[in-house]
Amino acid sequence: LLVNTFKWAVLGTAVGILAGLGVRLYLYILNHAIGFGHALDRFGIPHFWLLPLILPLCVLLAHITTRQKAHDDLESQEGTDAVIEAIHTRSGRLDPFAIPVRLFLSILTLFGGGSVGKEGPAAQIGALFSSLLSDLLRLSDEDRRRLVICGVSAGFAAVFGTPISGALFGVEVLYLGRLEYPVLFPCIVAGIVGHLACGASPPVPVLVPGNGHAHQLSQPMLVLLSLLSGVFFGLVAMLLIETMRFLDQQLRRFASHPFWVAVFGGTALAVLYQLAGSGYADLSEPLIRSALEGTARIMLLAFLVKIIATSLSLKTGGAGGIVTPLFFIGSTAGAAMAQILHLPVPLFARFGFVAVLAAAANTPIAASVMALELLGGHFGVEAALCACTAFLIVGHRSVFSSQYLGYSKA
Amino acid sequence: LLVNTFKWAVLGTAVGILAGLGVRLYLYILNHAIGFGHALDRFGIPHFWLLPLILPLCVLLAHITTRQKAHDDLESQEGTDAVIEAIHTRSGRLDPFAIPVRLFLSILTLFGGGSVGKEGPAAQIGALFSSLLSDLLRLSDEDRRRLVICGVSAGFAAVFGTPISGALFGVEVLYLGRLEYPVLFPCIVAGIVGHLACGASPPVPVLVPGNGHAHQLSQPMLVLLSLLSGVFFGLVAMLLIETMRFLDQQLRRFASHPFWVAVFGGTALAVLYQLAGSGYADLSEPLIRSALEGTARIMLLAFLVKIIATSLSLKTGGAGGIVTPLFFIGSTAGAAMAQILHLPVPLFARFGFVAVLAAAANTPIAASVMALELLGGHFGVEAALCACTAFLIVGHRSVFSSQYLGYSKA
């Protein structure tokens, strides 16, 4: 076991370094691409009007490079989902040419303002490097599978800036209600190293207790509120999942015309942004931050707009992840709830942040640990309770269709 | 699912209140009993010389009340183990008369200075109340089993003072390498409520970063050290498990004379305390605290003394838990290692604290979460890595013989 531990510590470190540096490069390019997109706004027409062109281009490129039926590509454009599927069905074997194309597509989607996340591509980078490393070391299928899980964990840890919960997310997201213990150790090694190599900071500063945000609430009241808000966040997550499923079913009958679907999706998105504001486009990080800080008064239905934008982006041809949109939806839903009920906004925005993640991705443990990483021991406890409640509410639904059912919830 | 969530929230709250108040009362009595024991020292002879009388008394009382073969009682005197077994084999059905006796025995053992823990009895209190509540509500066997797990979680959360990791410990300790997701939610409810109802504070204050303890270490160095120390803590946990097993085998041939075994054990313990110091007796909380604070220079082999004392106490008739001794062994081993290598003592004592728990009880997730609860986001990350390493090192060994093997580690 000592040899085994040593072997996996070394492998985890190697994957962590590769994935961390890869994600770092990816984030660098991505930031410039998004900045370039915003720079185009100076020419009078907002850059998101490029979407009706960009989404069909994504579909076309995906079609050329993967040589599959076009609609199949549409279905697996969500980065994390594609990786989960590869781990479950092909021992993590990935097409080394398809991934760079997908990364390029996700950058293109975000450049145009598609509402997708940056962590799906990060997971793909981690998976790609670990798959290549497995080829190089001629690992067995079982070892390859584990190493790819490590790569995914490292990718998440690097891009979220939260080493432990990022790594746990990579392990927990594979199954609904099951955790694979044997990969825990190398994944945490890979997560920590990946986080260090990437150097990204956590999405939000840790909320220090005692800055007056929640002092008016007694502890039992806080527990009750976290239970009730957990139910609310669970319903929000359910709404997202059902919206995506509904859109998927409606678009299925146009499956033979993927380009027109993409043109329609891009146009609809552009109209939506024109009406609701360009803050909902791309990663929407300024809005997430202001929701968490409670500085801006956010439109109460912001989370609904984002749900529609994300469903459209992912289902009509855009490439990218879904977790960053989840963060947006959760934190704005929490902020809206807190505004209506006159509760401390930063606290409940954070509750929503982790609870919607827990519910939509079925990762209560990773979300609870993230709550502790982001909130500290004080409010992290209640946030974890809120996340577990939300997780229970969504039942066996999931935003990741390739997630396996490991254990029944009821 | 909404109804189900509500039902379990209410049940979890009820169990949390009952278990929390029960543990509060138990801790109150226990503190007075230990204080009374220490007060007896004024009469010249240290109170731990009562052990050669107390341990046979424990065996006798256990024998009378349970009417089983005496040696069988000896085996299941570890409180947590007894509860795990009841959950696995009898849907958590417990003998409502045996538990109060066991609680009394654990208080007696700790009064005399036996080296056992207070969390085993706390788990039994939680299990007892939840079992009685199940009888009252006429729950089905499956629901009863879940409710008893909640009770155990609430007991741990209350007695440790760490709601989330206490609750997770109750869920994770049932299996080696598996986590039962369906009970997660009610257990966390019960844990938080139990913690509030009991009002016990965490065993150690959260280590605030920036108080200069670890600033001389670079991050990569810290990661490497947490890996290496994880191996060390894993070996320490292995030594404890093997010592207990060895003692068990040696004493098995005297199984027909349990009273003489108890007399021998009590005498050996008293001699050990006379030689090594009475700080190793009962809960040893002052020594744990000084190891964690790095204030006292602790004997380098303190953890070895405690391993022998704990094995003797539990295997020759004493009743109680094993986790408090694990905290002692882990924190002193960490402090000793840090002293030899000139590393920050408070930091590595905390690493040992969580890592030995993770390894000996096979609860890496609960220990990692405890690391985050006790250390905060900054060093908690490395402590979690250390805990996972140690967990891996011990293989399929465990201090809890009734733990089921859920998943192979290798």
Side-chain angles (χ1 to χ4, degrees):
Chain A
L1 267 168
L2 205 63
V3 176
N4 196 34
T5 306
F6 183 72
K7 167 184 151 194
W8 280 104
V10 171
L11 284 177
T13 309
V15 166
I17 292 174
L18 290 172
L21 293 177
V23 171
R24 187 173 198 159
L25 180 66
Y26 170 76
L27 289 179
Y28 180 81
I29 297 173
L30 183 62
N31 283 333
H32 279 269
I34 293 178
F36 182 62
H38 284 288
L40 291 181
D41 287 356
R42 265 176 298 167
F43 296 105
I45 301 171
H47 70 285
F48 50 73
W49 279 105
L50 288 171
L51 277 175
L53 293 175
I54 283 181
L55 289 187
L57 185 62
C58 286
V59 173
L60 182 69
L61 285 174
H63 186 65
I64 292 171
T65 51
T66 58
R67 282 154 293 163
Q68 294 176 348
K69 281 217 322 312
H71 190 69
D72 278 1
D73 298 333
L74 289 188
E75 293 230 277
S76 56
Q77 288 294 39
E78 210 288 307
T80 311
D81 227 12
V83 175
I84 298 175
E85 203 195 332
I87 290 172
H88 280 321
T89 57
R90 281 166 278 136
S91 304
R93 224 172 287 273
L94 291 155
D95 182 351
F97 302 104
I99 302 252
V101 175
R102 278 168 189 231
L103 293 178
F104 176 71
L105 292 183
S106 80
I107 290 176
L108 204 61
T109 307
L110 281 165
F111 158 72
S115 170
V116 295
K118 59 186 175 178
E119 79 309 313
Q124 289 179 314
I125 291 171
L128 173 65
F129 281 128
S130 48
S131 181
L132 290 176
L133 189 66
S134 307
D135 287 338
L136 204 69
L137 301 173
R138 296 170 196 282
L139 293 184
S140 70
D141 267 13
E142 183 49 35
D143 279 359
R144 159 192 290 274
R145 181 170 170 281
R146 283 197 201 172
L147 200 63
V148 172
I149 300 176
C150 291
V152 175
S153 283
F156 284 129
V159 78
F160 289 161
T162 52
I164 299 287
S165 50
L168 279 175
F169 187 82
V171 185
E172 202 178 15
V173 80
L174 297 175
Y175 299 92
L176 194 163
R178 206 174 103 194
L179 230 158
E180 220 170 297
Y181 270 74
V183 293
L184 211 55
F185 167 72
C187 280
I188 289 185
V189 175
I192 294 177
V193 174
H195 170 64
L196 288 177
C198 178
S201 52
V204 267
V206 174
L207 192 66
V208 182
N211 53 3
H213 281 311
H215 274 192
Q216 69 269 44
L217 295 171
S218 67
Q219 276 250 289
M221 188 65 194
L222 196 57
V223 171
L224 192 66
L225 278 174
S226 52
L227 272 174
L228 294 177
S229 62
V231 174
F232 170 65
F233 295 130
L235 294 174
V236 169
M238 202 149 56
L239 186 66
L240 169 69
I241 298 169
E242 290 301 329
T243 307
M244 288 182 73
R245 188 190 293 181
F246 174 76
L247 198 63
D248 201 44
Q249 279 170 349
Q250 294 303 310
L251 293 177
R252 201 171 283 271
R253 62 179 102 146
F254 305 107
S256 46
H257 306 292
F259 298 102
W260 290 113
V261 167
V263 171
F264 158 74
T267 314
L269 271 175
V271 170
L272 185 70
Y273 294 151
Q274 192 78 57
L275 294 175
S278 67
Y280 299 95
D282 56 65
L283 297 172
S284 309
E285 282 178 334
L287 270 183
I288 297 180
R289 193 161 301 120
S290 69
L292 291 169
E293 285 168 359
T295 47
R297 285 189 71 84
I298 289 159
M299 211 178 71
L300 290 181
L301 297 178
F303 70 95
L304 282 181
V305 177
K306 189 72 178 180
I307 285 178
I308 297 169
T310 306
S311 306
L312 276 173
S313 301
L314 282 171
K315 290 296 175 191
T316 63
I322 196 168
V323 177
T324 317
L326 288 180
F327 287 160
F328 182 102
I329 294 163
S331 54
T332 51
M337 194 193 78
Q339 275 178 29
I340 292 176
L341 302 177
H342 296 289
L343 294 168
V345 172
L347 189 66
F348 283 87
R350 278 169 175 75
F351 277 23
F353 191 93
V354 295
V356 171
L357 175 69
N362 283 301
T363 53
I365 308 246
S368 299
V369 171
M370 187 175 279
L372 287 167
E373 280 188 306
L374 294 180
L375 287 158
H378 201 228
F379 300 124
V381 171
E382 282 81 16
L385 175 63
C386 179
C388 285
T389 315
F391 161 73
L392 212 62
I393 291 289
V394 294
H396 293 156
R397 295 175 184 82
S398 170
V399 287
F400 301 120
S401 55
S402 48
Q403 210 168 38
Y404 276 25
L405 186 66
Y407 211 109
S408 170
K409 278 185 198 177
Chain B
L1 267 169
L2 205 61
V3 176
N4 197 34
T5 305
F6 183 71
K7 167 183 151 194
W8 280 105
V10 171
L11 284 177
T13 308
V15 166
I17 292 174
L18 291 173
L21 293 177
V23 171
R24 188 172 197 158
L25 180 66
Y26 170 76
L27 288 179
Y28 180 80
I29 297 173
L30 183 62
N31 283 333
H32 280 269
I34 293 178
F36 181 62
H38 284 290
L40 291 181
D41 288 356
R42 267 176 295 168
F43 297 106
I45 300 171
H47 70 285
F48 49 74
W49 280 104
L50 287 171
L51 277 175
L53 294 174
I54 284 181
L55 290 188
L57 185 63
C58 286
V59 172
L60 183 69
L61 285 174
H63 186 66
I64 293 170
T65 49
T66 59
R67 282 154 291 164
Q68 294 176 350
K69 281 219 318 317
H71 190 68
D72 278 2
D73 297 334
L74 289 188
E75 295 228 276
S76 57
Q77 288 295 38
E78 211 288 308
T80 312
D81 226 12
V83 175
I84 297 175
E85 203 195 330
I87 290 172
H88 281 319
T89 58
R90 280 167 279 136
S91 303
R93 225 171 286 274
L94 291 156
D95 182 352
F97 302 103
I99 301 250
V101 175
R102 278 167 192 235
L103 293 177
F104 176 70
L105 292 184
S106 81
I107 290 176
L108 204 60
T109 307
L110 281 164
F111 159 71
S115 168
V116 296
K118 59 186 176 181
E119 80 308 315
Q124 289 179 313
I125 292 171
L128 173 65
F129 282 128
S130 48
S131 182
L132 290 177
L133 189 66
S134 308
D135 287 337
L136 204 69
L137 300 174
R138 298 171 195 279
L139 293 184
S140 69
D141 267 13
E142 182 49 35
D143 279 359
R144 160 193 289 275
R145 183 171 169 279
R146 282 196 201 173
L147 199 64
V148 172
I149 301 177
C150 292
V152 174
S153 282
F156 284 130
V159 77
F160 289 161
T162 51
I164 300 286
S165 50
L168 279 175
F169 187 83
V171 186
E172 202 179 16
V173 79
L174 297 175
Y175 299 93
L176 195 162
R178 206 174 100 195
L179 230 158
E180 221 170 295
Y181 270 74
V183 291
L184 211 54
F185 167 72
C187 280
I188 288 185
V189 175
I192 294 178
V193 174
H195 170 65
L196 288 177
C198 179
S201 53
V204 268
V206 174
L207 193 65
V208 183
N211 53 2
H213 281 311
H215 272 191
Q216 69 269 43
L217 295 170
S218 68
Q219 276 251 290
M221 187 67 193
L222 196 58
V223 171
L224 192 66
L225 278 173
S226 53
L227 272 174
L228 294 176
S229 62
V231 174
F232 170 65
F233 295 130
L235 294 174
V236 169
M238 203 156 41
L239 186 66
L240 169 69
I241 298 169
E242 290 301 328
T243 306
M244 289 183 72
R245 187 189 295 180
F246 174 76
L247 197 64
D248 201 44
Q249 279 170 349
Q250 295 303 310
L251 293 176
R252 202 169 283 271
R253 63 178 103 148
F254 305 107
S256 45
H257 306 292
F259 298 102
W260 290 114
V261 167
V263 171
F264 157 75
T267 315
L269 271 174
V271 171
L272 186 69
Y273 294 151
Q274 192 77 56
L275 294 174
S278 67
Y280 299 95
D282 56 65
L283 297 172
S284 309
E285 282 179 335
L287 269 183
I288 296 180
R289 194 161 301 121
S290 69
L292 291 170
E293 285 168 357
T295 46
R297 286 187 71 82
I298 288 157
M299 212 179 69
L300 291 181
L301 297 179
F303 69 93
L304 283 181
V305 177
K306 189 72 177 180
I307 285 178
I308 297 170
T310 306
S311 306
L312 275 173
S313 302
L314 282 171
K315 290 295 173 190
T316 65
I322 197 169
V323 177
T324 318
L326 288 179
F327 287 160
F328 182 102
I329 294 163
S331 54
T332 51
M337 194 194 78
Q339 274 177 31
I340 292 176
L341 302 177
H342 295 288
L343 294 168
V345 172
L347 188 67
F348 282 88
R350 279 170 175 74
F351 277 25
F353 190 93
V354 294
V356 170
L357 174 69
N362 284 302
T363 54
I365 308 247
S368 298
V369 173
M370 187 176 279
L372 287 167
E373 280 187 307
L374 293 181
L375 286 157
H378 201 229
F379 300 124
V381 172
E382 282 80 18
L385 175 63
C386 179
C388 286
T389 315
F391 161 72
L392 212 62
I393 291 287
V394 293
H396 294 155
R397 294 174 184 84
S398 169
V399 287
F400 301 120
S401 55
S402 48
Q403 211 169 37
Y404 276 23
L405 185 66
Y407 211 110
S408 170
K409 278 185 199 178

